[in-house]
Amino acid sequence: RPPGFNPCQASCSQKVHLVFIIEGQNWSMFTSLLRLAKDIVFPLFCAGCKKEGTALCGTCARSIKNFKDPWFRLPDAPEIFRIFAPFRYEEGKTLATLIHLYKYGFAFELHKILCELILPLLLTHKEAFAESVLVPIPLHKKRLKWRGFNHAGLIAQECAKAIHAPLIPLLCRRKNTKPQAELTRTERLTNLQDAFSTELKIINPPKRVFLVDDVVSTGSTLTEAARALRKDFDGEINALVIARNI
């Protein structure tokens, strides 16, 4: 900052100018400051019982029930063999609240809590991920800059480490589409058409690929990503998500 400049005593125009300087020169620093301010002004409360001090208390974590069979298939999606989705996504419930805070509350650290839920279940099916590569669903560069992190990428990192699988960003998002959460079911089915393309040339293709995302609802995101990947990959395409509401 300029010598003698005090942000607390700056005029409105000076503060706006300071924000533009930070945004232009060091966006990651700016988003870090936003998160620090968020933690101070809005302390963590449990997504379930609202108890202060943690985003998910032990009692509420144990109340999140998983499916007996985490595998399912999307109807009308021949591009995807099957999907690992161990939890049910229900609006207003603890898990849905936690995921929403993670994605839209700039709370990137919550991926650790979400992965603590899914990893024990993932490890019980570890053999199904043999000879696989994890591919996170990408964000468009503008949305990645706004959010500061790729929510699917962080989840994929933790899962890849747990099952000792390679993580390769094979896809890119070439269209800056509207967030799926803001659209109707009908709009979601067409919003992502031709939104993805392959980012890297697959030299030594694996036996199977797992696309990684947080939630599957209509399945349009995973389907469009699989269609883009299929143009350069002949192997088995699956998906790995935390929860599903279908």
Side-chain angles (χ1 to χ4, degrees):
R1 68 186 184 187
F5 178 78
N6 186 344
C8 297
Q9 298 176 354
S11 66
C12 180
S13 62
Q14 287 175 313
K15 290 178 180 177
V16 171
H17 181 62
L18 176 63
V19 168
F20 280 116
I21 290 175
I22 294 175
E23 182 177 7
Q25 295 182 358
N26 196 336
W27 177 255
S28 62
M29 178 186 294
F30 181 57
T31 53
S32 296
L33 290 172
L34 278 179
R35 295 188 187 105
L36 178 60
K38 171 182 66 66
D39 292 341
I40 295 173
V41 179
F42 304 105
L44 282 177
F45 291 89
C46 176
C49 65
K50 312 308 178 187
K51 178 181 178 181
E52 185 175 354
T54 179
L56 184 66
C57 72
T59 300
C60 290
R62 290 188 291 272
S63 72
I64 300 174
K65 303 302 181 183
N66 59 279
F67 292 109
K68 290 183 178 180
D69 182 4
W71 300 96
F72 82 106
R73 295 191 177 187
L74 276 174
D76 305 318
E79 299 87 357
I80 302 175
F81 178 56
R82 60 178 179 170
I83 301 175
F84 182 85
F87 297 103
R88 182 181 300 279
Y89 184 93
E90 298 178 276
E91 290 291 347
K93 298 294 185 178
T94 299
L95 182 58
T97 301
L98 190 65
I99 291 174
H100 191 274
L101 179 61
Y102 170 52
K103 292 176 66 174
Y104 304 110
F106 296 97
F108 75 98
E109 67 278 2
L110 294 187
H111 79 279
K112 293 282 189 180
I113 294 177
L114 291 169
C115 288
E116 286 175 2
L117 293 174
I118 192 176
L119 289 184
L121 302 171
L122 186 66
L123 290 173
T124 63
H125 294 264
K126 187 177 180 180
E127 69 283 352
F129 295 87
E131 301 181 70
S132 298
V133 165
L134 302 192
V135 178
I137 296 294
L139 292 177
H140 188 270
K141 60 183 179 181
K142 289 184 178 179
R143 190 156 192 84
L144 179 60
K145 183 177 181 181
W146 174 80
R147 182 173 290 166
F149 63 95
N150 180 3
H151 59 283
L154 294 181
I155 294 170
Q157 286 178 16
E158 296 298 322
C159 292
K161 286 190 293 185
I163 61 177
H164 304 290
L167 187 157
I168 305 177
L170 292 175
L171 296 173
C172 70
R173 202 163 191 146
R174 59 185 184 183
K175 291 173 60 178
N176 189 20
T177 56
K178 294 180 179 180
Q180 291 288 86
E182 299 177 5
L183 304 176
T184 65
R185 181 179 180 84
T186 302
E187 291 172 331
R188 291 182 185 187
L189 295 175
T190 58
N191 182 50
L192 292 169
Q193 188 172 359
D194 298 323
F196 301 101
S197 62
T198 51
E199 175 78 355
L200 301 173
K201 190 70 176 179
I202 304 176
I203 306 299
N204 297 309
K207 183 176 182 179
R208 61 180 62 88
V209 160
F210 276 85
L211 299 169
V212 182
D213 207 357
D214 59 332
V215 175
V216 58
S217 51
T218 62
S220 55
T221 300
L222 294 175
T223 300
E224 288 298 327
R227 285 174 181 167
L229 187 60
R230 178 59 73 203
K231 295 177 182 179
D232 296 294
F233 178 66
D234 294 327
E236 184 181 291
I237 299 178
N238 305 274
L240 162 62
V241 300
I242 294 172
R244 62 184 175 101
N245 64 357
I246 53 176

